[in-house]
Amino acid sequence: MGRVEGRIGGAIGGYDVRATVQNGKITGRIGGVFVGDDLNIGYSLEGGYIKGRVGGVFIGRNIEGRISSNSLEARIGGIFDGNDIRLSIENGCIKGRCGGDVLGFNVDLSFNGDRVSGRLGGDVIGMDVNALVEEVEPIVASTLFVIAYYMYQVNHRNSGSGTSSAT
């Protein structure tokens, strides 16, 4: 049984990632107890698929696509309100992008033994990754971090406290 445990972002303004990976199933939770999402995802590196749900039955996002031991091409969310995820292994690191050229974020993760570190987003706007990964393929673990950052953005998109008034 594999596990992925860690954090994207800092102590304030970040998301926890806690998942169990076993027999082609990813279960667990990203975020916290109150603001976060359940993971229920199936995959097969040999079969080349990844498919499942992040969040609940009514409020959540589907993920579906192709996965291999060294790449992922998938979509999280719907046709209009989702993003494409493209990841690949380059020189032992996971590189890629979630979203388009303008609205989206870069992925740059490095694995060293059972530790993963790196960055999701850019140098200014983005979050660091610091996690433990045991007996989980790097492409699968990286997918979980990308999903977590994407869902963090979705869940905090309209959480500003500004007001608007018409004159």
Side-chain angles (χ1 to χ4, degrees), residues 45 66-73 86-89 139 143:
L45 297 178
R66 296 182 315 239
I67 190 170
S68 71
S69 61
N70 60 6
S71 68
L72 170 96
E73 289 185 18
R86 286 178 213 84
L87 302 176
S88 62
I89 296 179
I139 199 76
T143 301

Side-chain angles (χ1 to χ4, degrees), residues 41-100:
I41 302 168
Y43 75 96
S44 171
L45 297 178
E46 297 80 23
Y49 72 86
I50 185 167
K51 184 175 183 174
R53 185 105 174 129
V54 180
V57 174
F58 298 109
I59 299 175
R61 307 279 174 156
N62 290 330
I63 182 166
E64 187 170 357
R66 296 182 315 239
I67 190 170
S68 71
S69 61
N70 60 6
S71 68
L72 170 96
E73 289 185 18
R75 179 128 181 117
I76 184 166
I79 294 171
F80 298 110
D81 67 344
N83 273 336
D84 291 326
I85 303 170
R86 286 178 213 84
L87 302 176
S88 62
I89 296 179
E90 299 177 16
N91 300 320
C93 297
I94 304 290
K95 306 275 187 186
R97 184 131 180 104
C98 177

Side-chain angles (χ1 to χ4, degrees), residues 8-21:
I8 61 167
I12 299 173
Y15 251 30
D16 289 329
V17 176
R18 298 197 187 289
T20 300
V21 181

Side-chain angles (χ1 to χ4, degrees), residues 20-32:
T20 300
V21 181
Q22 184 174 18
N23 299 324
K25 298 281 185 194
I26 304 166
T27 57
R29 187 151 176 91
I30 56 174

Side-chain angles (χ1 to χ4, degrees), residues 6 10 13 18 23 33 35 41 47 64 70 79 81 88-89 101 104 106 112 117 127 129-130 135 137 145 156 165:
R18 298 197 187 289
N23 299 324
V33 175
V35 178
I41 302 168
E64 187 170 357
N70 60 6
I79 294 171
D81 67 344
S88 62
I89 296 179
D101 292 337
N106 292 328
N112 186 6
S117 61
M127 291 188 172
V129 174
N130 184 15
E135 298 180 35
E137 299 87 353
F145 297 120
H156 291 84
S165 62

